């Protein structure tokens, strides 16, 4: 009896040891799989962040080139606009309209008078960038010089999208710069590099698209012939 108990005890110990080893292996395997999954999600997030950075840099560079202004300063203005619920797109639209109307003001008395209300003469407009116009409007709005006319003047000088920027403008140019800098931004060099990276990606993507298109065009006749032959049923043999 004592012998039997000892044998059972040994077998039990062996079973428990084996079970513990199995649990350790399962745990290690689970950790390994978990690490792979976490790594995959981390890589996906990293790739998404890189793509977003390249796209935003490209957008900033394109807009800066279009309006002849500093890309880094444009980003700061976009930052301040976002804090007030607007967007970089609204800033871009306002810049575009301001540039067009500044050129028209010499032949449009109403536009000339509108710019004069925010402190810009026709000679000032010849030297001012679209960003200068937005900042001048902001200072006029913050000082109360155009109180009660902000909405109408914003639409007249910078288009309807500028009304989204009124809460930003009403703080004045100094506050806009402070807010934009507090959010942080890239240098002109970094933005230019991101824009160049975006252009390179577009070129590579187009090359691959053309290559695959040529491959498909080359194999399409053979694929169509194979498809036609596969639909032909053999004629039934006569009994």
């Amino acid at each position: 009896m004592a012998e039997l108990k000892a044998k059972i005890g040994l077998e039990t110990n062996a079973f428990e040891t084996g079970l513990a080893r199995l649990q350790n292996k399962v745990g290690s395997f689970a950790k390994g799989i978990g690490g792979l999954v976490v790594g995959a999600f981390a890589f996906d997030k990293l790739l998404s962040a890189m793509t977003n950075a390249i796209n935003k840099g490209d957008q900033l560079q394109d807009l800066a080139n279009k309006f002849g202004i500093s890309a880094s300063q444009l980003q700061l203005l976009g930052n301040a606009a976002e804090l007030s619920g607007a967007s970089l797109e609204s800033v871009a639209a306002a810049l575009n309209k301001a540039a067009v109307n500044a050129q028209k003001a010499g032949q449009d008395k109403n536009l000339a008078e509108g710019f004069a209300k925010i402190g810009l003469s026709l000679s000032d407009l010849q030297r001012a960038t679209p960003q200068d116009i937005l900042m001048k409007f902001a200072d006029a709005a913050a000082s109360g010089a155009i109180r009660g006319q902000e909405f109408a003047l914003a639409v007249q000088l910078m288009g309807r999208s500028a009304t989204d920027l009124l809460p930003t403008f009403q703080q004045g140019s100094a506050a806009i710069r402070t807010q934009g800098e507090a959010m942080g931004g890239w240098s002109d060099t970094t933005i230019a590099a991101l824009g160049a990276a975006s252009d390179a990606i577009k070129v590579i993507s187009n090359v691959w698209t053309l290559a695959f298109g040529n491959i498909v065009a080359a194999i399409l006749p053979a694929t169509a012939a194979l498809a036609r032959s596969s639909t032909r049923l053999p004629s039934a043999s006569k009994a």
Side-chain angles (χ1 to χ4, degrees), residues 213-228:
N214 290 334
I215 291 171
V216 171
I219 67 174
L220 194 57
T223 305
L226 181 62
R228 286 194 298 271

Side-chain angles (χ1 to χ4, degrees), residues 90 93-102 104 108 110-111 114-115 117-118 133-134 137 141 146 148-166 169:
S90 295
L95 288 168
N96 185 64
K97 194 67 174 179
V100 171
N101 285 339
K104 289 181 177 180
D108 188 318
N110 289 331
L111 277 177
F115 281 116
K117 288 178 181 178
I118 63 171
I133 295 172
L134 265 62
F137 184 95
I146 55 173
Q149 305 176 62
E150 295 99 330
F151 189 93
L153 272 177
V155 173
Q156 181 189 18
L157 303 180
M158 297 170 291
R160 291 197 172 276
S161 63
T163 59
D164 295 335
L165 300 170
L166 282 177
F169 289 144

Side-chain angles (χ1 to χ4, degrees), residues 206-222:
N206 188 61
V207 168
W208 279 106
T209 299
L210 292 174
F212 280 114
N214 290 334
I215 291 171
V216 171
I219 67 174
L220 194 57

Side-chain angles (χ1 to χ4, degrees), residues 32 53 61 113 122 134 162 193:
Q61 189 60 59
E113 290 176 351
L122 290 178
L134 265 62

Side-chain angles (χ1 to χ4, degrees), residues 5-159:
K5 287 182 179 179
K7 185 177 180 182
I8 292 173
L10 288 172
E11 290 178 349
T12 301
N13 289 338
F15 173 76
E16 290 176 348
T17 301
L19 181 60
R21 287 176 181 169
L22 179 62
Q23 288 174 334
N24 286 336
K25 287 183 179 180
V26 170
S28 298
F29 177 75
K31 287 180 181 178
I33 293 297
L36 288 174
V37 172
V38 170
F41 277 112
F43 178 76
D44 181 65
K45 288 181 179 179
L46 177 62
L47 186 61
S48 177
M50 290 175 63
T51 301
N52 289 339
I54 289 172
N55 289 341
K56 182 158 187 180
D58 186 48
Q59 180 189 26
L60 286 167
Q61 189 60 59
D62 286 345
L63 290 173
N65 291 341
K66 181 178 180 180
F67 300 118
I69 60 179
S70 162
S72 58
Q73 291 302 308
L74 175 60
Q75 184 179 25
L76 298 183
L77 183 53
N79 287 346
E82 288 176 3
L83 286 176
S84 299
S87 66
L88 183 61
E89 286 72 21
S90 295
V91 173
L95 288 168
N96 185 64
K97 194 67 174 179
V100 171
N101 285 339
Q103 292 179 356
K104 289 181 177 180
Q107 291 78 42
D108 188 318
K109 182 180 177 182
N110 289 331
L111 277 177
E113 290 176 351
F115 281 116
K117 288 178 181 178
I118 63 171
L120 288 171
S121 66
L122 290 178
S123 59
D124 292 330
L125 290 174
Q126 292 176 358
R127 300 185 299 270
T129 67
Q131 185 176 348
D132 292 335
I133 295 172
L134 265 62
M135 290 303 198
K136 195 71 175 176
F137 184 95
D139 286 335
S143 68
I146 55 173
R147 183 174 290 115
Q149 305 176 62
E150 295 99 330
F151 189 93
L153 272 177
V155 173
Q156 181 189 18
L157 303 180
M158 297 170 291

